[in-house]
């Protein structure tokens, strides 16, 4: 999908002409399907959904409302971008969940997997806490990894080679509020 912004969306985007890659309806349909798949994958046991902030917050909010079973929520905050458009490779853990993780099914919700460095660091950290299982649901995957991360069980969409914003994704904290995913360049 590729379309031009309406005047209202262009205003919301600060006057930028962002090319729409995934529109609201496409995202909503895929999030609903992901929720059904996750519900089926975790029929029993304690499910703890960990949102990797900040980028995943809108996706996380929509996704947990589509998971039809009891669950708990907590968050992780990591940073690897700063003000750049590419990951620096230096992952900083800013917030670590205080919720006990042992013997729980952990589902990490991520906005986009680029280099995979942040995700690998999070998975290694969480695995030491002896969860019953560990899985990842990412809204987008750029498929840049030479070897896929086995814990990435669900992906909303393959990401095109573009700098994507909207639906929680940002550039220097701008554009998160847009209801679609678009190409900033």
């Amino acid at each position: 999908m590729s379309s031009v912004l309406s005047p209202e969306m262009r205003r919301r985007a600060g006057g930028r002409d962002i090319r729409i890659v995934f529109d609201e309806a496409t995202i909503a349909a895929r999030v609903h399907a992901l929720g059904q798949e996750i519900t089926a994958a975790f029929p029993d046991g304690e499910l703890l959904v960990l949102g990797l902030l900040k980028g995943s917050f809108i996706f996380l909010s929509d996704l947990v409302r589509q998971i039809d079973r009891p669950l708990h929520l907590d968050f992780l905050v990591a940073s690897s971008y700063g003000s750049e458009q590419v990951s620096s490779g230096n992952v900083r853990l800013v917030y670590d969940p205080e919720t006990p993780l042992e013997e729980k099914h952990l589902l990490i919700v991520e906005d986009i997997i680029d280099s995979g460095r942040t995700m690998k660091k999070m998975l290694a950290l969480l695995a030491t806490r002896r969860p019953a299982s560990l899985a990842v649901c990412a809204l987008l995957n750029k498929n840049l990894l030479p070897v896929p991360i086995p814990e990435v069980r669900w992906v909303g969409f393959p990401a095109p080679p573009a700098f994507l914003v909207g639906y929680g994704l940002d550039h220097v904290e701008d554009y998160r509020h847009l209801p679609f995913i678009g190409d900033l360049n």
Side-chain angles (χ1 to χ4, degrees), residues 42-128:
F42 296 104
D44 300 310
E46 289 186 65
L47 176 60
L48 175 61
V49 179
L50 293 170
L52 192 53
L53 294 178
K54 294 180 188 175
S56 73
F57 81 103
I58 293 175
F59 174 47
L60 173 72
S61 174
D62 289 346
L63 181 65
V64 296
R65 290 180 288 175
Q66 299 300 320
I67 298 173
D68 189 23
R69 61 150 300 169
L71 57 83
H72 291 168
L73 289 172
D74 207 334
F75 299 93
L76 295 165
V77 179
S79 176
S80 65
Y81 280 81
S83 64
E84 301 304 315
Q85 289 189 4
V86 292
S87 176
S88 67
N90 299 319
V91 178
R92 278 188 319 121
L93 187 60
V94 181
Y95 173 76
D96 190 359
E98 295 182 13
T99 304
L101 306 181
E102 190 171 317
E103 297 304 313
K104 293 180 181 175
H105 296 291
L106 303 183
L107 175 64
I108 301 172
V109 177
E110 170 70 299
D111 57 351
I112 187 167
I113 298 176
D114 283 316
S115 69
R117 290 183 190 111
T118 301
M119 185 53 59
K120 287 178 182 178
K121 179 171 179 135
M122 293 299 103
L123 291 168
L125 169 74
L126 295 172
T128 66

Side-chain angles (χ1 to χ4, degrees), residues 124-184:
L125 169 74
L126 295 172
T128 66
R129 300 186 186 170
R130 300 190 321 254
S133 67
L134 189 53
V136 176
C137 178
L139 175 62
L140 299 161
N141 188 347
K142 286 199 173 183
N143 295 309
L144 299 176
L145 301 171
V147 177
I149 300 170
E151 293 86 355
V152 178
R153 291 182 56 189
W154 298 278
V155 173
F157 304 100
F163 193 83
L164 301 174
V165 296
Y167 197 68
L169 295 119
D170 77 303
H171 176 253
V172 194
E173 298 301 321
D174 288 327
Y175 311 110
R176 289 189 196 278
H177 67 291
L178 299 175
F180 58 85
I181 297 170
D183 180 354
L184 184 61

